[in-house]
Every structure is written in structure tokens, then in C-alpha cells.
């Protein structure tokens, strides 16, 4: 079966999601490499997550679909940009969040911020799905990108350690 | 134009008017340029110069005017994109200057209206009042074409140059503390839809 990041890259390409902004993360690194290696995508690294989200919102209005890649802690900085830009302006901002803070986290701060992620997505009414199985990635990402664009609403994908096999951190 | 003494150098500087500079920008547009008005008075004055379907008005997300404009410039490479941001907002998102310098979109012009304060929330002094120099910061980020406009004629000269440039330009102007002249319609979905239809990215 294909590696998770190859499937994600393929589904994004099939759905013409070409503009990719990211704030680096170790778990996301192979996906970032795959996207940067393919000139179909415009992939680059702004200085923080809300800047990355602003660029993708501008790109959508300019006619190109885009996604922001980030870690759990970075998502926690996005409440204002979601509530005052993506949601009220009805921009289908796509987000992919590498989940830290659970299933073997060593940093208590990461564990705490992780607990805010799904409640924040729920409070803002943002469609979100956790990717934990390789055989579900294509269906979930494909359908959710499609729905986000059709409904003009943001959506988030959470990359579970169950999928990415993030390295076990020794206590 | 009025004058103000700077905290840093003690020199008298000529203060321009945001509405006047915005009007001079709009008068220079041919028809298809995209203009992004930053949160607060910057988009209020853009609104006051008359509605254009190629104008985008921000009603929130303070600091994201330049990032939004970067996204537009990268995805609309044949169109000129102009962004109008305030000093307080830019101070909140300085990193975007480094990102823009790295991407180097030829079609992007950045305007900074610097009144040294958070004028809309009661005129609290910003770091720019105490000496932070946004043009020096922009140059330090790699935006070599960054200049202070010395007066309105100079602003127009810099703008004319920027609008035909082959790299991003930043033009900053010291402005007075006059409030915005109008209030933008508070319907974000309508603003975005009108803007996209104006760009031809939604039909």
C-alpha cells in the first residue's frame, strides 16, 4: 500500500490543490518533500501559521486552491484568522494538522494544546476528520476537499500518529 | 499636510493624508489591478474613494493584508496587486516581509500608512512612534525596493515606478491622524464574492 504522504500528495493533485504553505514539522517532512519535489505544486514556508493561512486565502480568491500544513500547536494560533477571515468571507481554507500531544507525547504543553484542537474546530463549526488509516486517506481527503469547495467552508485534516507512526519519545 | 516631530531623530516630518494618497493610487489604476485594503481606516479610505469590484476590504484578521496580497500576486501573475496596510497591523506580522522578499512577486506593491499609532482604538502609540522604521525593517528582510515617500509628489513617483516594476516594492508614508472617511459595508461574503467576480475567478 502507498505511503501516507504519497497518497495525500496524489489526492491534492487530483483535486487541483496547488498552493501549499507550511510551518515545518518533523512528521510532515516527507509530505513537504514530496510536494516540493513536484513542480505542479507551489510549496513554501511562511513565518507563521496565520500568515500561511492568509496567503492561501488570497490564493483562493486569485483562483488557485490551497492548503496549509502545520502542527497542533500552530493550529492553536489560528482562531482569529478562521473566525474573521476564512469563515465569514466563505473561503474554503484547507488545513492539514500533524497531531502532537497524544499517544506518547513527552511535552506537557503539547498535550495541553492538543486537547484544545478538536473543541476549537467544533466551536467554530469547521468540518474536520482524523486520518488514522492508510486505506481511508484517499476517500476522506478527496470528499472533504470537494465538500469544502462546494460549500465554501474551511476544512481540516488531522494526521494521527496511528497513521504517521510518529517516533516514540522516551520519557 | 501637517508636520510632526519624530521621537527618534527629533526632525520635523511632513505628514500626508491617507485618503489623499489612496485617491492618488486609485487615480493611477487602469482597471484590472487588485487592491487589498487592510483592517480599519485603510479599507475605510479605500471604500471612500469609490467601489471597485477589484478591491478587497478586510474586516478582521489584523496583520494579514500583505499575506493575502501575496497569495493574490502569486496566483494572478499577470495582474498588478496593491496592498494598503497600517503600521500597527504590519508590526503584528513583520515576518511576512521576509516571505515576500523570498517569493519576490514582480507584480506586488506594498503601501504602508504610518501614523505612529493605533489610531482607530484611541491613538495609543505604536512602536513606529518610538523609532521602529518599517522601511529599514523591510530592507533588512530583503525587500530592497523599500522607500519612504517624502511628500505626495514623491509618493506618486515611487508608485509609478512600483506599478511597472519587476520586483516587489514597498512605499511607506508618514500620515496624519485623520480617521477614515467612510465605513465599509460589513458583509464579508458579499465583499469576497464581488472581488472574485471582479477578478474573473468566480462566475
Amino acid at each position: 500500500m502507498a505511503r501516507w504522504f504519497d497518497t495525500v500528495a496524489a489526492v491534492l493533485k487530483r483535486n487541483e490543490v496547488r498552493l501549499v504553505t507550511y510551518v515545518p514539522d518533523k512528521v510532515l517532512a516527507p509530505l513537504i518533500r514530496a510536494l516540493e519535489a513536484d513542480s505542479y505544486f507551489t510549496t513554501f514556508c511562511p513565518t507563521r501559521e496565520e500568515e500561511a493561512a492568509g496567503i492561501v486565502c488570497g490564493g483562493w480568491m486569485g483562483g488557485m486552491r490551497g492548503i496549509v500544513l502545520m502542527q497542533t500547536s500552530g493550529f492553536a494560533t489560528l482562531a482569529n484568522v478562521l473566525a474573521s477571515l476564512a469563515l465569514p468571507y466563505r473561503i474554503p481554507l484547507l488545513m492539514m494538522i500533524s497531531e502532537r500531544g497524544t499517544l506518547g507525547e513527552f511535552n506537557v504543553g503539547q498535550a495541553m494544546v492538543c486537547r484544545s484542537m478538536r473543541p476549537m474546530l467544533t466551536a467554530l463549526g469547521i468540518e474536520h476528520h482524523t486520518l488514522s488509516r492508510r486505506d481511508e486517506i484517499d476517500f476522506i481527503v478527496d470528499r472533504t476537499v470537494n465538500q469544502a469547495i462546494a460549500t465554501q467552508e474551511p476544512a481540516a485534516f488531522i494526521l494521527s500518529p496511528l497513521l504517521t507512526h510518529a517516533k516514540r519519545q522516551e520519557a | 499636510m501637517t508636520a510632526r516631530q519624530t521621537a527618534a531623530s527629533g526632525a520635523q516630518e511632513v505628514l500626508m493624508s491617507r485618503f489623499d494618497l489612496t485617491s492618488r493610487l486609485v487615480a493611477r489604476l487602469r482597471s484590472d489591478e487588485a487592491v487589498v485594503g487592510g483592517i480599519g481606516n485603510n479599507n475605510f479610505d479605500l471604500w471612500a474613494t469609490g467601489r471597485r469590484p477589484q478591491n478587497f476590504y478586510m474586516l478582521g484578521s489584523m496583520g494579514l493584508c500583505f499575506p493575502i496580497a501575496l497569495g493574490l500576486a502569486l496566483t494572478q501573475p499577470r495582474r498588478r496587486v496593491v496592498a494598503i496596510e497600517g503600521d500597527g497591523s504590519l508590526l503584528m506580522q513583520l515576518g511576512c516581509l521576509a516571505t515576500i522578499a523570498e517569493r519576490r512577486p514582480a507584480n506586488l506593491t506594498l503601501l504602508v500608512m504610518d501614523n505612529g499609532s493605533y489610531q482607530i482604538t484611541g491613538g495609543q502609540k505604536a512602536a513606529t512612534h518610538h523609532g521602529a522604521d518599517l522601511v529599514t525593517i523591510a530592507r533588512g528582510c530583503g525587500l530592497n525596493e523599500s522607500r519612504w515617500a517624502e511628500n505626495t509628489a514623491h509618493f506618486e513617483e515611487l508608485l509609478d515606478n512600483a506599478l511597472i516594476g519587476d520586483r516587489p516594492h514597498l512605499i511607506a508614508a508618514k500620515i496624519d491622524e485623520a480617521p477614515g472617511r467612510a465605513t465599509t459595508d460589513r458583509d464579508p461574503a458579499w465583499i469576497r464574492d464581488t472581488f472574485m467576480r471582479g477578478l474573473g475567478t468566480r462566475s
Side-chain angles (χ1 to χ4, degrees), chain A residues 13-169:
Chain A
K13 193 168 185 173
R14 203 166 73 227
N15 283 279
E16 300 177 356
V17 180
R18 299 187 69 168
L19 181 61
V20 183
T21 57
Y22 67 90
V23 176
D25 170 74
K26 208 169 194 173
V27 170
L28 288 169
L31 175 60
I32 293 165
R33 270 197 298 276
L35 296 168
E36 285 183 333
D38 186 342
S39 62
Y40 176 81
F41 298 102
T42 298
T43 307
F44 61 98
C45 177
T47 62
R48 53 186 286 121
E49 292 79 4
E50 58 178 6
E51 185 199 351
I55 292 165
V56 166
C57 287
W60 164 256
M61 293 190 285
M64 190 182 286
R65 300 174 180 185
I67 189 166
V68 182
L69 314 180
M70 73 200 96
Q71 192 185 84
T72 323
S73 53
F75 175 75
T77 68
L78 290 184
N80 184 54
V81 62
L82 292 168
S84 70
L85 181 63
L87 286 160
Y89 283 90
R90 304 200 58 134
I91 295 171
L93 173 67
L94 300 170
M95 296 168 278
M96 188 163 279
I97 307 158
S98 150
E99 186 174 26
R100 266 196 71 175
T102 187
L103 297 173
E105 178 61 55
F106 65 92
N107 181 338
V108 67
Q110 287 283 352
M112 288 178 174
V113 84
C114 180
R115 289 173 202 135
S116 75
M117 177 168 58
R118 288 178 183 82
M120 183 167 128
L121 285 161
T122 303
L124 290 167
I126 293 176
E127 180 87 6
H128 59 280
H129 296 280
T130 301
L131 304 177
S132 53
R133 293 170 52 108
R134 280 190 288 173
D135 62 345
E136 292 179 350
I137 297 173
D138 193 305
F139 190 94
I140 292 175
V141 177
D142 180 71
R143 295 294 177 97
T144 304
V145 169
N146 199 270
Q147 178 174 331
I149 288 159
T151 59
Q152 303 184 87
E153 290 191 317
F157 306 103
I158 299 164
L159 294 167
S160 167
L162 284 167
L163 177 76
T164 60
H165 296 123
K167 195 164 175 278
R168 186 174 189 276
Q169 306 284 342

Side-chain angles (χ1 to χ4, degrees), chain B:
Chain B
M1 287 186 278
T2 49
R4 176 172 61 211
Q5 203 159 28
T6 63
S9 65
Q12 287 284 319
E13 53 195 14
V14 175
L15 298 182
M16 288 166 263
S17 149
R18 179 179 46 239
F19 178 74
D20 175 60
L21 296 180
T22 307
S23 301
R24 288 169 195 268
L25 162 70
V26 172
R28 272 168 167 65
L29 303 176
R30 293 195 312 275
S31 67
D32 60 343
E33 298 89 343
V35 182
V36 182
I39 187 173
N41 288 320
N42 289 295
N43 83 74
F44 291 174
D45 271 342
L46 180 62
W47 181 267
T49 62
R51 299 182 199 183
R52 293 172 71 245
Q54 298 87 1
N55 288 356
F56 182 70
Y57 308 94
M58 287 173 63
L59 301 177
S61 59
M62 183 169 173
L64 294 188
C65 178
F66 287 178
I68 290 169
L70 174 60
L72 285 163
L74 294 174
T75 55
Q76 292 272 312
R78 282 183 293 279
R79 185 190 301 273
R80 290 279 159 178
V81 178
V82 182
I84 312 171
E85 184 64 304
D87 55 329
S89 295
L90 181 55
L91 284 167
M92 191 177 270
Q93 199 69 242
L94 288 173
C96 74
L97 297 171
T99 309
I100 293 166
E102 189 261 316
R103 289 283 110 188
R104 264 174 73 97
N107 55 335
L108 180 58
T109 298
L110 309 167
L111 305 181
V112 182
M113 302 291 181
D114 182 349
N115 56 14
S117 71
Y118 300 92
Q119 197 263 336
I120 207 166
T121 54
Q124 299 87 351
K125 298 301 177 200
T128 39
H129 170 79
H130 302 292
D133 184 318
L134 292 169
V135 167
T136 303
I137 292 167
R139 285 196 188 147
C141 287
L143 288 170
N144 297 330
E145 303 301 325
S146 300
R147 305 268 187 284
W148 281 108
E150 289 162 17
N151 50 50
T152 51
H154 189 218
F155 175 83
E156 290 186 317
E157 184 191 321
L158 291 172
L159 188 56
D160 286 341
N161 194 33
L163 290 173
I164 55 167
D166 61 357
R167 66 198 74 183
H169 284 60
L170 182 144
I171 305 165
K174 294 285 183 185
I175 60 161
D176 60 35
E177 295 188 356
R181 299 235 181 153
T183 305
T184 304
D185 194 294
R186 303 204 194 266
D187 186 344
W190 174 82
I191 289 170
R192 198 262 314 139
D193 190 75
T194 304
F195 180 61
M196 288 181 74
R197 289 175 199 278
L199 298 189
T201 53
R202 182 170 173 80
S203 53

